[in-house]
Amino acid sequence: MPRSYVHEARKRVGPKRARIVPIIDRLTAEYPDATIALRFRSDLELLVSVMLSAQTTDVNVNRVTEQLFQKYRRPEDYLAVPLEELERDIYATGFFRQKAKALRGTMAMLLTDFDGRVPRRLEDLVRLPGVARKTANVVAAELGNPQGIVVDTHVRRLSQRLGLTRKEDPVKIERDLQWLVPRASWGLFPHLLIWHGRRVCIARRPECERCVVNDLCPSSRV
Ligand code: SF4
């Protein structure tokens, strides 16, 4: 897109500080059920689901965890079976070797450092083996204590299209969003963008004509 056109589009929609709350409000009205698609019944199941969701779909993870969580109920259970057995049990989520190793390391640390419980602070969560910042952010937000903003592929694409950031690096995008998005919406905001990104602002072909924020978006094609 030529620079002058981008400049004009930004001028047309106004500053991001003024647009962010209307964007959140309209997407909230559009997607009142926007929430995490992973299925879990406890903090531990949440952590395991999010760890397994790397490089695969939530639907796929839910299919695997339906059986998995019958068999593995406590951190000790993940350490009680041979590594190969755990690998087999999570095989269908892909990258099963790394994931099994990460799960075992995480369970061991939960037992030694956290009384077998899932910690709530981001700085503790990122200490767990195989738990990167994005995973930690998702878990902390679902535990009701968001300390950052989850940046996945949808959040990144939509934040850029909506002119909320010009960065490419997820950590820098998160910083821009933390500065912009009201703290009370840090947990909800990524879900709104993910839902909108899956349904309307699709990667290859955004459907701007039926987008509820098209008058607030500098990338709108209508
Ligand atoms: S107007 Fe188009 S590009 Fe902008 S958020 Fe909506 S669908 Fe995406």
Side-chain angles (χ1 to χ4, degrees), residues 158 161-162 196 200-202 206-222:
L158 269 74
R161 284 181 177 169
L162 285 162
H196 196 52
V200 178
C201 192
I202 299 150
E207 297 177 10
C208 302
E209 60 290 341
R210 60 184 198 89
C211 172
V212 292
V213 291
N214 57 17
D215 58 319
L216 298 169
C217 176
S219 311
S220 172
R221 298 175 183 187
V222 291

Side-chain angles (χ1 to χ4, degrees), residues 63-81:
R63 215 176 284 137
V64 170
T65 54
E66 204 177 332
Q67 303 292 322
L68 192 77
F69 293 154
Q70 302 292 331
K71 180 169 167 185
Y72 301 83
R73 292 171 183 264
R74 304 165 309 148
E76 293 89 331
D77 299 335
Y78 291 84
L79 301 167
V81 297

Side-chain angles (χ1 to χ4, degrees), residues 113-167:
D113 292 17
F114 299 105
D115 290 331
R117 298 205 188 91
V118 178
R120 299 183 122 63
R121 295 187 320 168
L122 203 65
E123 63 256 48
D124 289 332
L125 284 163
V126 293
R127 280 179 52 211
L128 299 168
V131 174
R133 187 174 172 89
K134 187 180 134 206
T135 303
N137 262 332
V138 175
V139 172
E142 291 313 310
L143 292 176
N145 188 21
Q147 292 146 72
I149 297 180
V150 175
V151 177
D152 76 345
T153 175
H154 296 289
V155 174
R156 177 177 150 174
R157 183 178 73 256
L158 269 74
S159 297
Q160 291 170 338
R161 284 181 177 169
L162 285 162
L164 307 179
T165 184
R166 295 183 200 192
K167 309 279 173 21

Side-chain angles (χ1 to χ4, degrees), residues 38-39 44-66 68-69 72 78 86-87 89-104 107 130-131 135 139:
L38 294 168
R39 282 205 291 268
L44 186 68
E45 290 187 1
L46 162 67
L47 175 62
V48 171
S49 296
V50 181
M51 289 176 74
L52 292 177
S53 70
Q55 314 287 336
T56 189
T57 64
D58 293 347
V59 174
N60 197 25
V61 173
N62 289 339
R63 215 176 284 137
V64 170
T65 54
E66 204 177 332
L68 192 77
F69 293 154
Y72 301 83
Y78 291 84
L86 180 58
E87 287 177 353
D89 289 338
I90 62 165
Y91 175 81
T93 67
F95 298 93
F96 60 95
R97 287 209 174 88
Q98 288 111 293
K99 288 179 182 175
K101 215 169 130 212
L103 281 177
R104 300 256 286 201
M107 297 305 154
V131 174
T135 303
V139 172

